[in-house]
Amino acid sequence: WNHGKLAHDAAAILKVWPGLTRTLYLSSAGDDIIGDSMATLVKALRTTAPKGLTWYYEPHPELKHSNIYRSASPAVFRKLFAAHAPD
């Protein structure tokens, strides 16, 4: 993560995009070494995320970096791309 640069700059970056309307999903595994940077990034999202940014952070300490995508992605896709009933 370039010594946490993205995480440390996140608040300033988010302020540049006040009209941002996107969805962001973040996760971490139990063996990841990005805990401090992730905490900094989550704090920036909590305090400065634009209203149109829907974001999620779900730590998975029971998973490893090598299996987090395969293990967590089905539930993430169902959450983010839930089927909508026709009107």
Side-chain angles (χ1 to χ4, degrees):
W1 282 41
N2 193 19
H3 304 287
K5 181 160 177 47
L6 176 63
H8 293 294
D9 292 350
I13 293 168
L14 289 167
K15 288 178 183 177
V16 173
W17 298 93
L20 184 66
T21 55
R22 295 283 187 267
T23 301
L24 174 65
Y25 178 86
L26 303 166
S27 188
S28 59
D31 64 345
D32 282 340
I33 59 170
I34 60 170
D36 292 341
S37 292
M38 187 63 82
T40 300
L41 179 56
V42 168
K43 182 179 177 184
L45 286 164
R46 282 191 182 121
T47 58
T48 60
K51 292 184 187 241
L53 178 64
T54 303
W55 65 275
Y56 305 91
Y57 170 58
E58 296 179 346
H60 287 281
E62 76 284 7
L63 298 176
K64 295 182 177 184
H65 186 84
S66 62
N67 68 6
I68 191 169
Y69 178 79
R70 184 176 23 190
S71 299
S73 63
V76 172
F77 286 128
R78 283 191 295 275
K79 179 178 192 166
L80 298 183
F81 303 105
H84 298 284
D87 292 335

